[in-house]
Amino acid sequence: MPSRDDLIAYIAREREAAGEKAPTKIGKREIARAFDIKGDDRIALKRLLRELEAEGAIERRRKVLTSPGRLPPVVVAEIYSRDRDGDLLAKPGEWDEALGPAPKIAITLPRKPRSGAPVPGLGDRALIRVEPLPAPQPNEPAYTGRLIKLLPRGRAGVLGLFRADPNGRGGRIVPLDKKHLGKGELQIAETDRGAAQDGDLVSVEILRTGRLGLPSARVQEKIGAYSSEKAVSLIAIHAHGLPHVFGAEVLTEAECAQPMGLGGREDWRALQLVTIDPPDARDHDDAVHAAPDPDLANPGGHILTVAIADVAAYVRPGGALDREALERGNSVYFPDRVVPMLPERISNDLCSLRPNEDRPALAVRMIIAADGHKLSHSFHRVLMRSAAKLSYAQAQAALDGTADETTEPLLEQVLKPLQKAHDSLQNARRKRGPLDLDLPERKIKLNTEGKIERIFTPARLETHRLIEEFMILANVCAAETLEAHHQPLIYRTHDEPTLEKLNALAEFLHTIDIKLAKGQVLRPAQFNGILARVRETEHEHLVNEIVLRTQAQAEYVTQNYGHFGLNLRRYAHFTSPIRRYADLIVHRALITALKLGEGGLPRSDPAELAEIAAKISSAERRAMAAERETVERLIAIHLADQVGAQFEGRISGVNKAGLFIRLAESGADGFVPISSLAQDYFRYEEGRHALIGSRTGLMHRLGDLVSVRLVEAAPLAGALRFELLEGGRPSRAPSRAKIRGETKRGSEDEGRVKTNSRVSRRRR
């Protein structure tokens, strides 16, 4: 048997010898082979290794023994931050905190990555080969690391509501996620409940699943008590891993920021810029102004000005605020709270364009002709002073003849010139022909207790369109300027629909007698022609929904391929740097390209800018999902005491499993399982977006009006189940032979389910 010192020396020597090679596994079997230990002596070796591990002389990581306090040559690490130079920092995925803080690993990337090589980013998990630095400084990286490969991100814990066992035997978890909800509850042993109390929101790790009994789980984290609707947004925050707590370093940097003076800026404080926002806006980062162009060569033309808060003056590249903003990507808006991209000191104070207060801004002055097309533009770094803070409805009322004490002094010199300039831009918009979908936005208003007071669709005002057109034009100017100066930037792009989706659209339109040749390339104006044909007909909602689903998803990229929906060749987000990191990048790029002072975009590798674009696109999708799920949960809570009530709605989705229903009054979404429909064999026809009864020919199609009864509500999961009461229309009846053939093939492949009245009554 080797001595204790022999074992410790052997393990350290093997680790040292591995060096640049692939790490050698050092476990009990390898040690026994090295020292020729056989038979019963293996039991003694196992006992000795346990003693050394208990004393801390060696440590075990996934059945591998190593020297304590040192990383093995290859580790699984989490990339969590960047240093001042922008290089990625990682930390080991597993580390014993008793040994002190986890060591930092500075990631070294090749200068010229091979084509198609994965690009690591913040939040990634990776297999990394590490080397210790000879004399690391405190709080500095102790290792350098080279990427071997990126790993799939770890599965997040299941979120649920903890229900304690009254007999003190642990409890159960009611899952909040719809996917897990269908699998039933989870069982928690008393030893695995941690500090969770009855009614707490918790994150759990599933330990065991099997055919018999409930799956067992262990509480990983106590999120907080579920006491009211105010906790609903907290569920989405944790379910999607939204960063929502600012660290001390970030808050300190924000608090130390001081208001900007005139310095080298242009003084625009005499210009009557105004902000026009929703009445509940938390930040005000854009202001507008318009005036007739005095140039005789431009009769009927206008000078438009859009001034945007100069966030780049306060959030410098590589700082704590910058790193946090990149991690968040954007602000996330819930009915009861906002998870901001930047702390309030920046977003609601120094960069909020408050009336009658000096604020630094990056402004674009645009000259447009009488027909609305842009003649020229220029960017300026200025100090401005907003003349007023207006709401959309307030500005609209003034233009419609009902001015108040705030808008009356601004009507002739500010608001009416804005309206005339907008009329010109509308001419240019009609010529450009962007996609014109009618998609009303649903809003939820909560009372002081956090409960839903009302659900409504705000009126679409001309002032909404005015601000929208001004912002679109400013975004175009930003992209054009950066391209002209050959400055790398992040575009906002929207790809044209795929050929597959266009062919599917053509098949569907054929079912409502609208001809569209397969393989035809469509522009937004042609989509608008289709929408115009069905306006104020029974097919209007259906066609709007199908055209929307035909479209690609907008994203941030560094390689421009245009914006299909807006029908623009180049487009970049410039107008909301308080709440979108993409806009901050564009601001910095303009500052660098036009030499407008400090806070510009550092010279960066195109691959790094592409990584940022991919990350903020992902953050945007994450935010949209969190906002949508929060609304669904709030409405489900609102309807939970109305089980059995009857509602009018519209079919908003169809698949092999059943019908998705959107209620007309509240906009709530729910599901009608195919098994609860009438006695028939229902088949799913993808081209027609419909379920069709093989025997009766009854069709339930996307967009159809229906009457439903609420059968079940799962508020925490945001899930509603309906029973169809009225709806359906006759379709072209299939032949008897076809019915027989389809019946013989069975129902699994096409989503057909045969039901009978006994089953339906029992389920109701």
Side-chain angles (χ1 to χ4, degrees):
M1 286 289 294
S3 67
R4 301 160 67 90
D5 292 340
D6 290 338
L7 285 175
I8 295 172
Y10 170 76
I11 293 171
R13 187 168 62 250
E14 289 296 306
R15 280 292 172 209
E16 198 70 32
E20 287 294 314
K21 303 175 185 177
T24 304
K25 180 181 177 182
I26 307 173
K28 184 183 71 173
R29 182 179 301 173
E30 288 72 29
I31 293 173
R33 188 181 299 118
F35 288 95
D36 196 26
I37 300 173
K38 300 178 181 178
D40 294 341
D41 287 340
R42 286 177 175 263
I43 298 175
L45 173 63
K46 185 177 181 180
R47 188 182 304 115
L48 180 55
L49 291 173
R50 282 182 177 175
E51 291 174 1
L52 290 173
E53 189 178 350
E55 294 169 5
I58 61 175
E59 60 182 5
R60 184 182 304 273
R61 299 191 188 128
R62 297 186 183 273
K63 299 183 180 181
V64 175
L65 299 168
T66 186
S67 303
R70 296 192 59 182
L71 295 180
V74 174
V75 297
V76 174
E78 298 173 1
I79 301 173
Y80 71 98
S81 185
R82 291 184 181 273
D83 61 17
R84 295 176 182 174
D85 298 324
D87 293 329
L88 294 171
L89 295 176
K91 58 185 177 182
E94 292 186 358
W95 182 257
D96 185 358
E97 296 295 336
L99 299 173
K104 297 179 181 178
I105 306 168
I107 304 298
T108 304
L109 297 176
R111 292 185 179 179
K112 294 183 178 180
R114 68 181 187 277
S115 177
V119 179
L122 298 179
D124 281 338
R125 294 173 67 247
L127 193 63
I128 295 174
R129 190 181 304 283
V130 299
E131 284 186 36
L133 291 170
Q137 300 298 315
N139 297 321
E140 293 294 324
Y143 295 83
T144 60
R146 289 191 293 108
L147 180 72
I148 297 175
K149 70 173 181 177
L150 292 179
L151 302 174
R153 299 195 179 196
R155 290 178 60 189
V158 176
L159 286 177
L161 186 68
F162 179 72
R163 292 302 187 191
D165 187 319
N167 298 319
R169 299 174 183 172
R172 295 189 178 187
I173 299 294
V174 180
L176 304 183
D177 193 315
K178 294 178 184 178
K179 296 177 182 177
H180 289 283
L181 185 68
K183 300 175 182 177
E185 297 180 343
L186 306 173
Q187 184 173 324
I188 302 289
E190 183 64 25
T191 54
D192 292 327
R193 68 182 286 180
Q197 301 298 317
D198 186 63
D200 280 348
L201 292 171
V202 295
S203 173
V204 301
E205 173 191 10
I206 297 177
L207 300 177
R208 179 191 60 79
T209 59
R211 294 182 179 179
L212 302 177
L214 296 177
S216 61
R218 174 172 54 232
V219 174
Q220 291 178 313
E221 179 186 5
K222 175 181 172 179
I223 296 171
Y226 180 81
S227 54
S228 72
E229 284 89 338
K230 292 182 179 181
V232 172
S233 56
L234 197 62
I235 296 173
I237 287 170
H238 284 269
H240 292 276
L242 294 175
H244 65 290
V245 177
F246 289 110
E249 185 182 7
V250 176
L251 293 174
T252 299
E253 187 175 311
E255 291 302 321
C256 290
Q258 297 300 316
M260 293 285 173
L262 187 61
R265 299 171 181 274
E266 299 177 41
D267 191 347
W268 283 22
R269 286 176 287 185
L271 189 67
Q272 286 189 295
L273 289 152
V274 296
T275 62
I276 305 178
D277 294 293
D280 57 350
R282 272 91 164 185
D283 49 55
H284 308 275
D285 56 1
D286 57 83
V288 294
H289 182 269
D293 187 359
D295 189 348
L296 297 179
N298 185 27
H302 301 272
I303 301 175
L304 313 184
T305 301
V306 173
I308 307 297
D310 191 357
V311 178
Y314 298 102
V315 182
R316 297 300 176 87
L321 283 167
D322 182 50
R323 295 195 302 270
E324 183 70 18
L326 174 58
E327 182 66 21
R328 296 182 178 221
N330 48 251
S331 298
V332 187
Y333 295 87
F334 298 109
D336 66 323
R337 74 177 80 198
V338 175
V339 179
M341 186 179 80
L342 295 166
E344 287 191 8
R345 169 65 173 164
I346 303 295
S347 61
N348 292 359
D349 185 4
L350 296 177
C351 288
S352 187
L353 305 181
R354 296 174 177 172
N356 305 314
E357 294 187 20
D358 292 355
R359 289 291 184 267
L362 192 59
V364 56
R365 178 172 283 164
M366 301 165 283
I367 311 297
I368 66 167
D371 63 358
H373 80 271
K374 180 172 63 69
L375 300 175
S376 63
H377 70 270
S378 58
F379 282 89
H380 309 261
R381 215 169 186 188
V382 306
L383 190 68
M384 60 159 285
R385 183 181 294 163
S386 172
K389 180 182 74 171
L390 307 177
S391 70
Y392 288 114
Q394 188 180 17
Q396 187 67 56
L399 292 170
D400 291 341
T402 312
D404 58 24
E405 59 181 10
T406 302
T407 55
E408 180 66 38
L410 302 170
L411 185 58
E412 295 299 327
Q413 297 300 317
V414 178
L415 294 178
K416 286 188 175 180
L418 284 171
Q419 185 180 42
K420 290 179 181 178
H422 175 240
D423 291 341
S424 295
L425 290 181
Q426 284 293 85
N427 293 329
R429 176 187 172 88
R430 282 190 288 270
K431 291 179 182 177
R432 191 176 84 242
L435 191 60
D436 190 21
L437 284 166
D438 182 17
L439 300 169
E441 185 180 2
R442 176 179 51 171
K443 292 282 188 181
I444 292 180
K445 184 178 180 181
L446 304 180
N447 59 22
T448 55
E449 298 177 354
K451 298 182 181 298
I452 292 180
E453 183 175 298
R454 67 188 181 109
I455 303 169
F456 63 102
T457 301
R460 179 75 168 159
L461 305 174
E462 281 302 310
T463 47
H464 286 106
R465 297 183 176 90
L466 183 154
I467 294 298
E468 183 179 280
E469 287 302 310
F470 274 49
M471 297 303 129
I472 288 173
L473 190 57
N475 289 337
V476 171
C477 292
E480 289 179 350
T481 297
L482 293 174
E483 279 194 0
H485 285 78
H486 306 288
Q487 173 67 43
L489 73 148
I490 291 178
Y491 294 92
R492 178 64 168 181
T493 58
H494 179 221
D495 206 355
E496 61 186 27
T498 64
L499 184 61
E500 180 183 8
K501 287 186 175 181
L502 288 176
N503 286 338
L505 175 65
E507 288 182 7
F508 161 71
L509 291 176
H510 181 70
T511 67
I512 57 173
D513 298 323
I514 296 179
K515 293 183 179 180
L516 182 67
K518 284 191 176 183
Q520 181 179 347
V521 177
L522 295 186
R523 302 306 305 162
Q526 291 163 294
F527 278 109
N528 291 340
I530 295 169
L531 296 172
R533 286 188 60 180
V534 298
R535 192 162 291 135
E536 297 182 0
T537 71
E538 62 170 332
H539 302 304
E540 180 178 7
H541 287 85
L542 172 61
V543 174
N544 268 271
E545 192 74 32
I546 299 299
V547 169
L548 173 63
R549 297 181 186 195
T550 303
Q551 305 306 310
Q553 187 170 24
E555 61 180 346
Y556 295 107
V557 296
T558 55
Q559 300 297 320
N560 183 32
Y561 54 81
H563 198 294
F564 179 83
L566 294 175
N567 201 14
L568 292 168
R569 292 181 60 189
R570 52 189 63 85
Y571 191 68
H573 273 166
F574 158 76
T575 54
S576 294
I578 283 179
R579 61 186 181 91
R580 293 188 305 226
Y581 194 80
D583 303 56
L584 179 56
I585 291 288
V586 169
H587 274 232
R588 289 171 175 168
L590 287 166
I591 292 168
T592 296
L594 302 174
K595 298 179 173 56
L596 297 177
E598 298 180 345
L601 187 67
R603 293 187 63 183
S604 57
D605 185 350
E608 183 180 333
L609 207 58
E611 174 201 326
I612 292 173
K615 182 173 180 60
I616 58 181
S617 292
S618 176
E620 179 185 45
R621 292 190 290 271
R622 176 181 67 184
M624 290 170 62
E627 291 168 354
R628 182 183 65 251
E629 289 175 12
T630 298
V631 169
E632 289 174 351
R633 288 189 173 101
L634 283 170
I635 293 178
I637 292 171
H638 181 61
L639 295 177
D641 59 354
Q642 298 184 50
V643 171
Q646 183 174 333
F647 300 92
E648 302 302 312
R650 193 179 293 274
I651 298 175
S652 61
V654 184
N655 64 19
K656 296 177 181 180
L659 306 172
F660 293 91
I661 308 297
R662 181 166 297 156
L663 301 187
E665 184 178 349
S666 65
D669 291 299
F671 189 64
V672 175
I674 195 172
S675 57
S676 67
L677 296 177
Q679 301 179 45
D680 205 342
Y681 290 96
F682 279 88
R683 67 185 185 278
Y684 171 54
E685 288 198 6
E686 185 175 4
R688 302 175 78 175
H689 297 271
L691 289 177
I692 300 177
S694 297
R695 182 176 58 82
T696 62
L698 188 67
M699 177 172 66
H700 301 291
R701 188 173 62 177
L702 182 70
D704 284 354
L705 293 171
V706 294
S707 292
V708 294
R709 177 184 290 118
L710 180 60
V711 176
E712 182 182 3
L716 294 180
L720 301 172
R721 183 164 63 86
F722 296 121
E723 176 189 30
L724 192 64
L725 299 178
E726 293 180 16
R729 64 176 71 195
S731 68
R732 294 183 179 90
S735 67
R736 293 285 183 183
K738 185 175 181 182
I739 295 174
R740 286 195 297 271
E742 288 172 346
T743 305
K744 288 178 181 178
R745 285 197 300 270
S747 61
E748 291 183 0
D749 61 333
E750 293 188 59
R752 297 187 299 275
V753 176
K754 184 177 181 180
T755 61
N756 55 59
S757 57
R758 183 182 302 172
V759 172
S760 298
R761 284 197 300 271
R762 185 169 65 247
R763 291 188 175 178
R764 286 198 293 271

PDB file of all heavy atoms in Angstrom, residues 339-356:
ATOM      1  N   VAL A 339     -38.259  46.166 -15.540  1.00  0.00           N
ATOM      2  CA  VAL A 339     -36.887  45.736 -15.286  1.00  0.00           C
ATOM      3  C   VAL A 339     -36.023  46.538 -16.245  1.00  0.00           C
ATOM      4  O   VAL A 339     -35.914  46.209 -17.420  1.00  0.00           O
ATOM      5  CB  VAL A 339     -36.717  44.222 -15.517  1.00  0.00           C
ATOM      6  CG1 VAL A 339     -35.272  43.808 -15.269  1.00  0.00           C
ATOM      7  CG2 VAL A 339     -37.654  43.433 -14.603  1.00  0.00           C
ATOM      8  N   PRO A 340     -35.425  47.645 -15.773  1.00  0.00           N
ATOM      9  CA  PRO A 340     -34.740  48.558 -16.686  1.00  0.00           C
ATOM     10  C   PRO A 340     -33.375  48.041 -17.116  1.00  0.00           C
ATOM     11  O   PRO A 340     -32.744  47.250 -16.425  1.00  0.00           O
ATOM     12  CB  PRO A 340     -34.603  49.832 -15.854  1.00  0.00           C
ATOM     13  CG  PRO A 340     -34.507  49.338 -14.442  1.00  0.00           C
ATOM     14  CD  PRO A 340     -35.383  48.105 -14.378  1.00  0.00           C
ATOM     15  N   MET A 341     -32.921  48.517 -18.269  1.00  0.00           N
ATOM     16  CA  MET A 341     -31.584  48.160 -18.736  1.00  0.00           C
ATOM     17  C   MET A 341     -30.526  48.917 -17.952  1.00  0.00           C
ATOM     18  O   MET A 341     -29.421  48.418 -17.745  1.00  0.00           O
ATOM     19  CB  MET A 341     -31.460  48.475 -20.228  1.00  0.00           C
ATOM     20  CG  MET A 341     -30.148  48.022 -20.858  1.00  0.00           C
ATOM     21  SD  MET A 341     -30.048  48.378 -22.626  1.00  0.00           S
ATOM     22  CE  MET A 341     -29.605  50.126 -22.593  1.00  0.00           C
ATOM     23  N   LEU A 342     -30.876  50.111 -17.492  1.00  0.00           N
ATOM     24  CA  LEU A 342     -29.943  50.966 -16.757  1.00  0.00           C
ATOM     25  C   LEU A 342     -30.575  51.409 -15.438  1.00  0.00           C
ATOM     26  O   LEU A 342     -31.808  51.538 -15.345  1.00  0.00           O
ATOM     27  CB  LEU A 342     -29.590  52.195 -17.599  1.00  0.00           C
ATOM     28  CG  LEU A 342     -28.818  51.918 -18.897  1.00  0.00           C
ATOM     29  CD1 LEU A 342     -28.837  53.152 -19.789  1.00  0.00           C
ATOM     30  CD2 LEU A 342     -27.393  51.484 -18.598  1.00  0.00           C
ATOM     31  N   PRO A 343     -29.778  51.669 -14.408  1.00  0.00           N
ATOM     32  CA  PRO A 343     -30.333  52.125 -13.123  1.00  0.00           C
ATOM     33  C   PRO A 343     -31.103  53.434 -13.265  1.00  0.00           C
ATOM     34  O   PRO A 343     -30.895  54.216 -14.206  1.00  0.00           O
ATOM     35  CB  PRO A 343     -29.079  52.316 -12.254  1.00  0.00           C
ATOM     36  CG  PRO A 343     -28.019  51.488 -12.879  1.00  0.00           C
ATOM     37  CD  PRO A 343     -28.311  51.502 -14.350  1.00  0.00           C
ATOM     38  N   GLU A 344     -31.983  53.702 -12.300  1.00  0.00           N
ATOM     39  CA  GLU A 344     -32.845  54.882 -12.365  1.00  0.00           C
ATOM     40  C   GLU A 344     -32.051  56.181 -12.409  1.00  0.00           C
ATOM     41  O   GLU A 344     -32.496  57.161 -13.008  1.00  0.00           O
ATOM     42  CB  GLU A 344     -33.802  54.894 -11.164  1.00  0.00           C
ATOM     43  CG  GLU A 344     -34.919  53.872 -11.253  1.00  0.00           C
ATOM     44  CD  GLU A 344     -35.990  54.088 -10.209  1.00  0.00           C
ATOM     45  OE1 GLU A 344     -35.929  55.128  -9.508  1.00  0.00           O
ATOM     46  OE2 GLU A 344     -36.884  53.233 -10.090  1.00  0.00           O
ATOM     47  N   ARG A 345     -30.900  56.216 -11.776  1.00  0.00           N
ATOM     48  CA  ARG A 345     -30.080  57.431 -11.797  1.00  0.00           C
ATOM     49  C   ARG A 345     -29.771  57.845 -13.231  1.00  0.00           C
ATOM     50  O   ARG A 345     -29.703  59.042 -13.540  1.00  0.00           O
ATOM     51  CB  ARG A 345     -28.778  57.175 -11.022  1.00  0.00           C
ATOM     52  CG  ARG A 345     -27.709  58.236 -11.155  1.00  0.00           C
ATOM     53  CD  ARG A 345     -28.137  59.555 -10.554  1.00  0.00           C
ATOM     54  NE  ARG A 345     -27.040  60.523 -10.537  1.00  0.00           N
ATOM     55  CZ  ARG A 345     -27.181  61.827 -10.358  1.00  0.00           C
ATOM     56  NH1 ARG A 345     -28.387  62.321 -10.164  1.00  0.00           N
ATOM     57  NH2 ARG A 345     -26.134  62.626 -10.352  1.00  0.00           N
ATOM     58  N   ILE A 346     -29.609  56.858 -14.119  1.00  0.00           N
ATOM     59  CA  ILE A 346     -29.342  57.150 -15.527  1.00  0.00           C
ATOM     60  C   ILE A 346     -30.644  57.276 -16.310  1.00  0.00           C
ATOM     61  O   ILE A 346     -30.891  58.275 -16.983  1.00  0.00           O
ATOM     62  CB  ILE A 346     -28.458  56.051 -16.164  1.00  0.00           C
ATOM     63  CG1 ILE A 346     -27.143  55.901 -15.386  1.00  0.00           C
ATOM     64  CG2 ILE A 346     -28.198  56.349 -17.634  1.00  0.00           C
ATOM     65  CD1 ILE A 346     -26.246  57.106 -15.428  1.00  0.00           C
ATOM     66  N   SER A 347     -31.510  56.249 -16.227  1.00  0.00           N
ATOM     67  CA  SER A 347     -32.684  56.185 -17.105  1.00  0.00           C
ATOM     68  C   SER A 347     -33.770  57.187 -16.738  1.00  0.00           C
ATOM     69  O   SER A 347     -34.411  57.764 -17.629  1.00  0.00           O
ATOM     70  CB  SER A 347     -33.258  54.764 -17.093  1.00  0.00           C
ATOM     71  OG  SER A 347     -33.661  54.405 -15.786  1.00  0.00           O
ATOM     72  N   ASN A 348     -34.023  57.407 -15.445  1.00  0.00           N
ATOM     73  CA  ASN A 348     -35.120  58.282 -15.034  1.00  0.00           C
ATOM     74  C   ASN A 348     -34.664  59.663 -14.571  1.00  0.00           C
ATOM     75  O   ASN A 348     -35.484  60.497 -14.199  1.00  0.00           O
ATOM     76  CB  ASN A 348     -35.928  57.634 -13.903  1.00  0.00           C
ATOM     77  CG  ASN A 348     -36.693  56.420 -14.384  1.00  0.00           C
ATOM     78  OD1 ASN A 348     -36.628  56.078 -15.558  1.00  0.00           O
ATOM     79  ND2 ASN A 348     -37.405  55.768 -13.488  1.00  0.00           N
ATOM     80  N   ASP A 349     -33.349  59.883 -14.572  1.00  0.00           N
ATOM     81  CA  ASP A 349     -32.833  61.156 -14.073  1.00  0.00           C
ATOM     82  C   ASP A 349     -31.933  61.817 -15.124  1.00  0.00           C
ATOM     83  O   ASP A 349     -32.381  62.627 -15.920  1.00  0.00           O
ATOM     84  CB  ASP A 349     -32.086  60.921 -12.758  1.00  0.00           C
ATOM     85  CG  ASP A 349     -31.608  62.219 -12.109  1.00  0.00           C
ATOM     86  OD1 ASP A 349     -31.913  63.299 -12.642  1.00  0.00           O
ATOM     87  OD2 ASP A 349     -30.922  62.148 -11.075  1.00  0.00           O
ATOM     88  N   LEU A 350     -30.672  61.434 -15.170  1.00  0.00           N
ATOM     89  CA  LEU A 350     -29.702  62.142 -16.004  1.00  0.00           C
ATOM     90  C   LEU A 350     -30.015  62.082 -17.490  1.00  0.00           C
ATOM     91  O   LEU A 350     -29.685  63.005 -18.232  1.00  0.00           O
ATOM     92  CB  LEU A 350     -28.295  61.582 -15.746  1.00  0.00           C
ATOM     93  CG  LEU A 350     -27.741  61.783 -14.332  1.00  0.00           C
ATOM     94  CD1 LEU A 350     -26.385  61.109 -14.199  1.00  0.00           C
ATOM     95  CD2 LEU A 350     -27.624  63.269 -13.999  1.00  0.00           C
ATOM     96  N   CYS A 351     -30.628  60.992 -17.951  1.00  0.00           N
ATOM     97  CA  CYS A 351     -30.907  60.832 -19.385  1.00  0.00           C
ATOM     98  C   CYS A 351     -32.382  60.984 -19.727  1.00  0.00           C
ATOM     99  O   CYS A 351     -32.770  60.777 -20.884  1.00  0.00           O
ATOM    100  CB  CYS A 351     -30.399  59.470 -19.869  1.00  0.00           C
ATOM    101  SG  CYS A 351     -28.609  59.379 -19.972  1.00  0.00           S
ATOM    102  N   SER A 352     -33.208  61.323 -18.769  1.00  0.00           N
ATOM    103  CA  SER A 352     -34.620  61.533 -19.054  1.00  0.00           C
ATOM    104  C   SER A 352     -34.825  62.998 -19.436  1.00  0.00           C
ATOM    105  O   SER A 352     -34.431  63.907 -18.698  1.00  0.00           O
ATOM    106  CB  SER A 352     -35.470  61.183 -17.827  1.00  0.00           C
ATOM    107  OG  SER A 352     -36.842  61.221 -18.144  1.00  0.00           O
ATOM    108  N   LEU A 353     -35.421  63.231 -20.595  1.00  0.00           N
ATOM    109  CA  LEU A 353     -35.548  64.589 -21.139  1.00  0.00           C
ATOM    110  C   LEU A 353     -36.705  65.313 -20.452  1.00  0.00           C
ATOM    111  O   LEU A 353     -37.786  65.523 -21.021  1.00  0.00           O
ATOM    112  CB  LEU A 353     -35.751  64.527 -22.652  1.00  0.00           C
ATOM    113  CG  LEU A 353     -34.675  63.743 -23.429  1.00  0.00           C
ATOM    114  CD1 LEU A 353     -34.969  63.783 -24.922  1.00  0.00           C
ATOM    115  CD2 LEU A 353     -33.288  64.287 -23.138  1.00  0.00           C
ATOM    116  N   ARG A 354     -36.467  65.705 -19.222  1.00  0.00           N
ATOM    117  CA  ARG A 354     -37.501  66.370 -18.427  1.00  0.00           C
ATOM    118  C   ARG A 354     -37.716  67.804 -18.916  1.00  0.00           C
ATOM    119  O   ARG A 354     -36.787  68.457 -19.388  1.00  0.00           O
ATOM    120  CB  ARG A 354     -37.087  66.394 -16.960  1.00  0.00           C
ATOM    121  CG  ARG A 354     -36.973  65.021 -16.318  1.00  0.00           C
ATOM    122  CD  ARG A 354     -36.408  65.159 -14.927  1.00  0.00           C
ATOM    123  NE  ARG A 354     -36.336  63.876 -14.225  1.00  0.00           N
ATOM    124  CZ  ARG A 354     -35.746  63.717 -13.050  1.00  0.00           C
ATOM    125  NH1 ARG A 354     -35.162  64.750 -12.467  1.00  0.00           N
ATOM    126  NH2 ARG A 354     -35.717  62.531 -12.481  1.00  0.00           N
ATOM    127  N   PRO A 355     -38.938  68.304 -18.766  1.00  0.00           N
ATOM    128  CA  PRO A 355     -39.204  69.679 -19.205  1.00  0.00           C
ATOM    129  C   PRO A 355     -38.378  70.696 -18.412  1.00  0.00           C
ATOM    130  O   PRO A 355     -38.191  70.550 -17.194  1.00  0.00           O
ATOM    131  CB  PRO A 355     -40.700  69.853 -18.922  1.00  0.00           C
ATOM    132  CG  PRO A 355     -41.248  68.481 -18.811  1.00  0.00           C
ATOM    133  CD  PRO A 355     -40.146  67.632 -18.287  1.00  0.00           C
ATOM    134  N   ASN A 356     -37.878  71.691 -19.118  1.00  0.00           N
ATOM    135  CA  ASN A 356     -37.189  72.833 -18.526  1.00  0.00           C
ATOM    136  C   ASN A 356     -35.924  72.460 -17.758  1.00  0.00           C
ATOM    137  O   ASN A 356     -35.511  73.185 -16.853  1.00  0.00           O
ATOM    138  CB  ASN A 356     -38.146  73.614 -17.600  1.00  0.00           C
ATOM    139  CG  ASN A 356     -39.414  74.042 -18.315  1.00  0.00           C
ATOM    140  OD1 ASN A 356     -39.358  74.561 -19.427  1.00  0.00           O
ATOM    141  ND2 ASN A 356     -40.561  73.788 -17.702  1.00  0.00           N
TER     142      ASN A 356
END
